[in-house]
Amino acid sequence: MTDYGHDLQFGVFVTPTAQPVQHAVELAVAADRAGLDLVTFQDHPYQPRFHDTWTLLSYAASRTQRVHVSGNVLNLPLRQPAVLARAAASLDLLSGGRFELGIGAGGFWDAIEAMGGRRLSPGQSVQALEEAITIFREIWNPAERGGVRVDGEFYQVRGAKRGPAPAHDIPIWLGAYKPRMLRLIGRKADGWLPSLGYLPGGATELGPLNEVIDEAAVAAGRSPSAVRRLLNVGGQFSAQSTGFLNGPPEQWAEDLAGLTLEYGVSTFILATDDAATLELYAAEVAPATRALVAAAR
Amino acid sequence: MEFGTSITPANGGDPVALARRSEELGFDLVTFQDHPYQPRFHDTWTLLAWVAGRTERIRLAGNVLNLPLREPAVLARSAASLDLLSGGRLELALGAGGFWDAIEAMGGPRREPREAVEATEEAIEIIRGMLDAGNQTPFRYRGRHYQVPNAQRGPLPAHNIPLWLGALGPRMLRLIGRKADGWLPSLGRVGVDGLRAGNKLIDEAAEAAGRDPSDIRRLVNVTPDVPLEILQTLEADTLILYTDDVSEMERFAAEVMPVLRATNRRPTRPSWVRAKRRDGIDYDGVPASADAVEPGDIDFPRLRSTYLRGGNPGIVLRPRTTGDVVEALAFARRHRNVPLGIRSAGHGVSGRSTNDGGIVLSVARLDHVEIVGDRRIRVGPGARWADIARALAPHGWALTSGDYGGVGVGGLTTAGGIGWLARKHGLTLDHLRSAEVVLASGQVVRVDAAHSPELFWAIRGAGANFGVVTDFEFDVDEVGDVGFAQLAVDGSDPAGVLERFGAAVEAAPRDLTAELIMSRPRPGAYATILAVVDSDDPETIVSQLEPVASIAPLLDQRVVITPYAGVMANAGDADHDGQGEPAARSGLIEHLTPEFSAAAEELLRSGAVHFFQLRSVGGAVADVDPMATAYANRAANFSVTALGGSQHRLDALWDRLLQPHFTGSYLNFDTDRRPERLRDAWPPEHLARLRDLKRRYDPDGLFRDNFYLGDS
């Protein structure tokens, strides 16, 4: 039973399909107009049915006004961290502070290797991600003197110039499920971004996993509330309630408010490729959830 | 000659506004240098994507992208995405790198000059290979600097993205001649004489490699202070003005561009595109109005095939107006030696709208949908039924069509149109009131009951033989929300399911039109029933569905009340990628008798059929006199279609088991080209009348590739 006290945010997780070409962009625009906080795209650079996610994020940000954009989550093994840091700062500046860095250690190693990426073991991928996080933060910090030096096992940066400073403090959110990654989140990340559908036991699994993050944060001298808890969710709107996130908007609001109050989830990212669903989510579920949480806090 | 700007991507400046201004001033291209190690600059790739989202027409390029810090395989995927998102406006200009201390500081490699050239050559191969998405095989590459063990190619860009290189040294210039699409130096560094010498070296290397030097674009960055007289002497196809000063851009656009624009026209297509041309087609004689796509063009993979059938046509013509169709058919008349396919949206199961080495005339661009009166519309042959349903919905109207929203108007209407409202409102062609037809002679006629009534008769059921219809005028029906049901029933007793389905549908009110889909029976097999009830009343819908839902144990159900447009919104916008030759047969039958049902079960158990579908006709379809249109088989209550893996095997079984039960056939769903199919489709009186009309309207057999009525 943990509520970290964060303000609630609502976003969508859109399939970055390359055909129809503008599908994902149109949904990003719809999310923006509907008043959602966040639009996200998965990143599988080995998948030609999808747009390149970095390109899509930049283009979608240019076509929207207020909504924030993030990978869900970017594929580190196929993206050069120092260049990615500079690109992230650029996109944040161009968009007036609307970029968030959702990033993962990679998971489909056959496909990554097929594209020319380096195959890493689980432990190695966590270390590589930690090195990358250091590079990101150093590049984004021009207030520090001297060039960026990271002599990592997987990534080396030898005196790269710092900057530019992004328009806002870009949070780093990690997709993760295993203890070593969760501890890394507690030590160094700004958010945890799992998918509810990947938790075999459902929402109740969030509790123990949160504890791993919280303990690692405390051990590193950080408050657990320094880590935002995000969650990819899926469901169906229907007139009758038939289960968790399957029912009318008011039931959705109760289900999501429960996740906030019991498990500390504060950003809900709905997987959908349907504009009407997205609009209903923004218009009815988001305000009702906020109201329920505010009343209970 | 083309013109571009090169803008500093400074994050303290406003490169986006300068790019937009470039576009307003009429520049063709906007470029940004790429130095990922330079924090005063935006990341160039991110900026290119952002500018793509804030501009409409101007093309975009790095000047030049820093290859050592951008992995070529991911860069290729990124380039395809940005080209698609921007509507075909990305060009790739690459550099081998030069500031090695800064590159290495960022975590990139340090390369000697020879290594840099070598790596660039590898990157070109990788990018080209990844973008060759018309090639279905995986892309594999093992170089000294880059490896791509087994990547999937694609996505297919919107246009053929050229690869231009910034280069100075002779080794790189020779690489450009051998492999690149363009050369992009800066005049300030090479000088006028250096430009000429570099071009000569490129030309020599191109010729040595068997390439046409004119396939290689020559671009050059120039500063505002270069006088017009010098610019006029440059051996260049594109001048890129290097400035962040708007007034210099304006001066250049006003004073330099008009003078230089009216020069050198290049051949429209490069030699490597021309190399893929097929014998028997006069590519130089293609009318400009046809907006043709050749086998070597980037759009060819998008257009070569239909929904089910793989194709390899020699040319695809894409007219936009009736006049364009006249010109396209004139071109086709000059090519009697190759096949001719006419295509609306390419969904015909028969696959007649593609071919090998011939002409495809696509009317997809004649896609207007206009409401011209009370329950009266005009549509183009390339309009898709989902779009028509959506356009009619606000009026409370609908026009029955097929069962799939992605199908085009032209092919479906001229053959029949068996859809979700058939039992209540008849065939699509029963709603046709007039049509504009381009005949084999090139003459354009407007046909209706009073004008060319014989031709009007013929195109309603045998349209593929008589012309290209460029405009259809329809009466539509008043249709509110409908019930749409998707039911799964136990499919282990196919004969029983068929027999009971047939009886239930024949007994049902006309508000109900249903489909049954079956496959090979095995334990756990189910049959799918899809049904529309033309009512928005839940009780009516349920009561009308109950008999068809009871033909076998119900396993799953989903019933919604939706606008008719919601039923038709079942198609995506993806390009067709059919492969091989589909094997399909179709028939029309009055009753699903026990004998027919047993024979169908035997066919299904054989494993020769992977898709077996029955659609309802009857009802309003049967109200029309069989002689009123060329669609003859009005008495049938069901259309039967099967898809298999082998035409020969399917034919043998179909001929023996099912053919004796049929009273007709629906040719759009048939791939059997044997001449007796004509006799199945049309009774003797219809067939004789059609052949007379064929001799009158198409005596030379221009329309010969889709169940040809000539030669009898």
Side-chain angles (χ1 to χ4, degrees):
Chain A
M1 169 78 66
T2 308
D3 175 4
Y4 302 98
H6 296 132
D7 61 302
L8 299 197
Q9 295 183 340
F10 295 85
V12 283
F13 175 64
V14 172
T15 309
T17 181
Q19 263 201 70
V21 170
Q22 297 286 337
H23 166 83
V25 179
E26 284 163 0
L27 286 175
V29 171
D32 195 38
R33 288 182 181 148
L36 287 171
D37 302 294
L38 182 66
V39 60
T40 72
F41 309 109
Q42 58 190 297
D43 185 21
H44 298 286
Y46 33 76
Q47 177 54 264
R49 288 184 298 105
F50 291 169
H51 277 304
D52 167 64
T53 293
W54 185 260
T55 303
L56 178 61
L57 284 165
S58 305
Y59 187 90
S62 81
R63 306 287 293 179
T64 53
Q65 307 295 324
R66 289 174 303 276
V67 76
H68 287 224
V69 300
S70 177
N72 190 342
V73 287
L74 289 178
N75 190 293
L76 177 63
L78 285 169
R79 301 197 180 276
Q80 214 265 16
V83 174
L84 179 57
R86 200 89 80 194
S90 274
L91 184 50
D92 201 56
L93 288 165
L94 287 164
S95 67
R98 291 192 281 128
F99 176 72
E100 329 286 19
L101 183 56
I103 191 158
F108 299 99
W109 293 103
D110 284 348
I112 289 166
E113 190 171 45
M115 279 283 287
R118 180 172 44 178
R119 182 187 287 268
L120 301 180
S121 70
Q124 290 174 326
S125 67
V126 175
Q127 182 176 340
L129 182 53
E130 183 158 10
E131 293 173 12
I133 290 173
T134 302
I135 292 169
F136 301 148
R137 293 244 174 82
E138 292 291 318
I139 291 264
W140 295 339
N141 184 11
E144 201 73 30
R145 295 183 58 205
V148 177
R149 294 193 176 274
V150 174
D151 189 19
E153 182 178 341
F154 302 100
Y155 297 117
Q156 300 84 35
V157 173
R158 305 186 177 96
K161 293 182 183 179
R162 294 171 178 273
H168 87 306
D169 282 338
I170 300 176
I172 297 174
W173 301 332
L174 304 187
Y177 301 92
K178 298 291 173 51
R180 195 172 354 198
M181 277 287 284
L182 295 173
R183 287 195 290 270
L184 174 60
I185 291 170
R187 273 202 318 278
K188 290 206 168 170
D190 303 302
W192 175 38
L193 208 183
S195 294
L196 187 54
Y198 282 17
L199 301 173
T204 56
E205 289 196 27
L206 293 170
L209 299 178
N210 272 332
E211 283 179 22
V212 178
I213 294 169
D214 294 355
E215 285 164 10
V218 169
R222 304 173 77 205
S223 163
S225 63
V227 179
R228 175 174 279 271
R229 316 301 154 110
L230 303 93
L231 189 65
N232 292 324
V233 298
Q236 199 104 21
F237 287 116
S238 54
Q240 305 287 331
S241 173
T242 58
F244 190 79
L245 295 184
N246 266 279
E250 53 269 24
Q251 181 213 309
W252 275 60
E254 288 172 16
D255 292 345
L256 297 181
L259 291 177
T260 303
L261 299 169
E262 293 187 44
Y263 303 110
V265 180
S266 52
T267 300
F268 298 102
I269 303 171
L270 175 65
T272 184
D273 285 310
D274 178 50
T277 297
L278 168 163
E279 285 157 2
L280 188 61
Y281 179 67
E284 297 194 25
V285 175
T289 308
R290 287 188 166 108
L292 288 173
V293 170
R297 275 178 168 171
Chain B
M1 176 138 307
E2 289 191 335
F3 302 91
T5 56
S6 177
I7 293 167
T8 308
N11 49 45
D14 198 347
V16 181
L18 292 174
R20 289 166 65 100
R21 188 68 180 128
S22 299
E23 182 172 74
E24 287 162 8
L25 290 170
F27 284 92
D28 304 290
L29 179 69
V30 60
T31 73
F32 306 100
Q33 60 188 292
D34 184 24
H35 297 286
Y37 32 77
Q38 178 52 264
R40 290 184 299 102
F41 290 173
H42 277 301
D43 170 66
T44 293
W45 189 259
T46 303
L47 180 60
L48 286 168
W50 184 275
V51 167
R54 294 291 174 96
T55 54
E56 303 286 333
R57 182 190 54 77
I58 199 163
R59 300 202 309 281
L60 312 129
N63 189 344
V64 287
L65 290 178
N66 191 292
L67 203 49
L69 285 169
R70 300 192 184 279
E71 281 291 320
V74 174
L75 179 59
R77 202 87 89 193
S78 304
S81 276
L82 188 47
D83 196 59
L84 287 165
L85 288 166
S86 67
R89 294 192 278 133
L90 178 77
E91 326 281 36
L92 271 182
L94 308 173
F99 300 101
W100 297 106
D101 284 348
I103 289 167
E104 191 172 43
M106 286 283 286
R110 177 180 290 273
R111 292 176 176 149
E112 298 298 321
R114 182 185 48 79
E115 290 174 328
V117 176
E118 189 176 54
T120 301
E121 180 161 9
E122 292 183 12
I124 290 174
E125 296 292 333
I126 289 168
I127 293 168
R128 287 256 177 72
M130 292 291 294
L131 294 179
D132 186 17
N135 183 332
Q136 303 289 325
T137 65
F139 176 67
R140 300 188 174 97
Y141 189 86
R142 295 214 177 258
R144 281 196 53 206
H145 303 275
Y146 299 113
Q147 292 82 40
V148 181
N150 194 40
Q152 294 186 65
R153 302 173 194 261
L156 189 70
H159 93 301
N160 228 313
I161 302 175
L163 295 183
W164 304 332
L165 296 187
L168 296 179
R171 224 187 322 241
M172 280 290 279
L173 294 175
R174 283 194 289 270
L175 174 59
I176 292 171
R178 283 202 320 276
K179 293 201 169 166
D181 300 309
W183 179 33
L184 205 183
S186 292
L187 186 62
R189 297 186 70 183
V190 298
V192 175
D193 290 343
L195 194 67
R196 188 173 304 116
N199 277 328
K200 186 168 185 290
L201 203 51
I202 289 169
D203 291 355
E204 287 166 2
E207 280 160 0
R211 298 180 73 201
D212 183 344
S214 69
D215 285 345
I216 300 168
R217 188 162 199 93
R218 318 306 162 100
L219 306 95
V220 62
N221 292 319
V222 298
T223 51
D225 60 348
V226 180
L228 177 59
E229 307 83 68
I230 297 291
L231 296 177
Q232 283 174 313
T233 65
L234 295 180
E235 292 182 0
D237 304 305
T238 301
L239 299 182
I240 299 173
L241 183 67
Y242 186 88
T243 187
D244 293 334
D245 185 337
V246 173
S247 62
E248 290 287 10
M249 290 179 190
E250 289 166 352
R251 181 193 62 81
F252 195 89
E255 297 174 15
V256 175
M257 279 161 62
V259 175
L260 296 181
R261 238 194 228 292
T263 53
N264 48 356
R265 289 293 158 197
R266 275 169 165 267
T268 315
R269 286 177 167 83
S271 59
W272 44 271
V273 172
R274 285 183 265 122
K276 294 195 173 178
R277 289 176 165 175
R278 304 287 296 272
D279 290 343
I281 292 182
D282 172 25
Y283 290 93
D284 294 327
V286 179
S289 63
D291 192 18
V293 173
E294 298 184 14
D297 288 336
I298 187 78
D299 275 329
F300 186 72
R302 296 185 162 97
L303 296 168
R304 65 192 291 176
S305 298
T306 60
Y307 185 61
L308 288 180
R309 189 179 184 213
N312 210 2
I315 194 163
V316 179
L317 307 179
R318 298 187 295 175
R320 293 182 186 274
T321 66
T322 303
D324 295 349
V325 171
V326 172
E327 293 188 358
L329 282 182
F331 179 80
R333 279 200 300 279
R334 299 195 290 270
H335 292 80
R336 299 300 312 280
N337 49 317
V338 298
L340 170 63
I342 312 293
R343 179 186 300 175
S344 45
H347 265 275
V349 171
S350 66
R352 303 322 310 157
S353 63
T354 192
N355 53 53
D356 180 26
I359 298 167
V360 166
L361 195 164
S362 167
V363 292
R365 294 177 163 184
L366 283 88
D367 61 353
H368 56 282
V369 180
E370 298 160 35
I371 294 170
V372 297
D374 183 38
R375 288 192 297 116
R376 181 62 68 97
I377 65 171
R378 274 194 174 184
V379 302
R384 301 189 318 157
W385 290 108
D387 301 324
I388 293 168
R390 190 162 48 245
L392 297 181
H395 303 266
W397 300 341
L399 175 55
T400 188
S401 58
D403 67 353
Y404 193 64
V407 175
V409 166
L412 180 136
T413 303
T414 53
I418 298 173
W420 294 117
L421 301 167
R423 297 185 74 246
K424 183 160 187 181
H425 295 297
L427 302 171
T428 306
L429 62 72
D430 293 329
H431 295 73
L432 187 61
R433 294 294 163 260
S434 79
E436 180 182 74
V437 189
V438 184
L439 301 175
S441 63
Q443 184 187 358
V444 180
V445 296
R446 187 93 208 171
V447 300
D448 58 28
H451 304 85
S452 302
E454 282 290 284
L455 187 55
F456 186 49
W457 180 86
I459 66 167
R460 288 177 292 163
N465 269 274
F466 290 95
V468 179
V469 181
T470 52
D471 181 75
F472 295 84
E473 187 173 344
F474 289 108
D475 280 340
V476 301
D477 299 298
E478 289 187 11
V479 178
D481 285 354
V482 299
F484 179 55
Q486 300 168 80
L487 314 172
V489 299
D490 186 292
S492 56
D493 170 25
V497 166
L498 282 161
E499 203 180 329
R500 292 187 292 270
F501 175 80
V505 171
E506 288 193 57
R510 292 181 173 194
D511 296 318
L512 179 133
T513 297
E515 269 185 23
L516 177 68
I517 299 169
M518 308 177 81
S519 54
R520 190 176 194 178
R522 53 179 180 272
Y526 62 90
T528 301
I529 298 167
L530 302 171
V532 166
V533 179
D534 185 11
S535 170
D536 60 5
D537 174 55
E539 286 179 18
T540 301
I541 293 166
V542 169
S543 70
Q544 291 198 23
L545 287 172
E546 203 274 328
V548 284
S550 304
I551 63 173
L554 187 63
L555 304 175
D556 196 13
Q557 62 174 324
R558 196 167 112 88
V559 184
V560 298
I561 298 178
T562 175
Y564 178 75
V567 180
M568 295 304 291
N570 56 6
D573 284 331
D575 302 317
H576 295 320
D577 58 357
Q579 291 176 38
E581 294 286 343
R585 294 298 300 270
S586 92
L588 292 166
I589 189 167
E590 289 191 33
H591 308 295
L592 305 187
T593 61
E595 295 75 21
F596 168 81
S597 302
E601 174 163 344
E602 186 177 342
L603 175 65
L604 285 168
R605 291 195 183 279
S606 74
V609 166
H610 60 256
F611 179 84
F612 189 76
Q613 182 194 54
L614 287 89
R615 299 193 191 189
S616 308
V617 272
V621 177
D623 289 349
V624 179
D625 182 337
M627 288 304 303
T629 68
Y631 181 96
N633 297 284
R634 297 286 180 168
N637 284 302
F638 301 96
S639 153
V640 183
T641 303
L643 294 177
S646 155
Q647 187 78 59
H648 177 76
R649 186 174 179 212
L650 179 58
D651 286 348
L653 286 160
W654 187 272
D655 291 352
R656 175 169 66 85
L657 292 170
L658 297 192
Q659 193 65 42
H661 299 279
F662 294 132
T663 58
S665 79
Y666 191 59
L667 293 178
N668 270 16
F669 292 163
D670 215 307
T671 59
D672 180 4
R673 313 293 311 290
R674 289 176 290 172
E676 46 266 49
R677 300 287 77 78
L678 298 180
R679 290 195 298 275
D680 298 336
W682 293 295
E685 190 175 355
H686 285 76
L687 194 50
R689 190 168 167 185
L690 286 168
R691 285 185 157 139
D692 284 345
L693 291 168
K694 181 70 170 176
R695 281 190 287 273
R696 190 194 318 176
Y697 287 105
D698 185 14
D700 297 325
L702 179 66
F703 303 114
R704 62 192 171 279
D705 198 41
N706 195 348
F707 294 104
Y708 183 42
L709 284 163
D711 296 338
S712 66

